[in-house]
Amino acid sequence: MLQTAAGWIGVALAVFALYGGLALLLKDPAQHTVLPLGRRDRARTYLLGDLGHQLEQAEREAGVRRQL
């Protein structure tokens, strides 16, 4: 019984991974979302907004130095 449950969990994870991979694969050439990925809040704003939205937090991220 435990092996059967583990098998079904594995099938569910495989389907989830295939859906995510297919969604990202179809999004690249189309340049718009074909299959929803469930992005919310900041991730959606960064993808749909302009360059200013993407860079507003960049100066506080790790690895970014102030100019000397």
Side-chain angles (χ1 to χ4, degrees), residues 2-68:
L2 186 60
Q3 290 178 343
T4 304
W8 282 112
I9 290 172
V11 168
L13 286 174
V15 168
F16 182 71
L18 286 172
Y19 178 84
L22 183 63
L24 292 174
L25 184 68
L26 292 175
K27 181 185 180 302
D28 283 339
Q31 296 298 320
H32 69 317
T33 302
V34 177
L35 296 173
L37 290 171
R39 291 186 173 129
R40 292 189 172 76
D41 300 330
R42 283 196 318 188
R44 180 179 298 271
T45 302
Y46 290 159
L47 287 174
L48 300 178
D50 59 358
L51 184 61
H53 286 108
Q54 295 176 18
L55 296 178
E56 67 186 13
Q57 297 290 330
E59 65 186 22
R60 290 184 288 281
E61 289 185 7
V64 178
R65 293 185 179 185
R66 294 183 303 153
Q67 279 191 318
L68 300 174

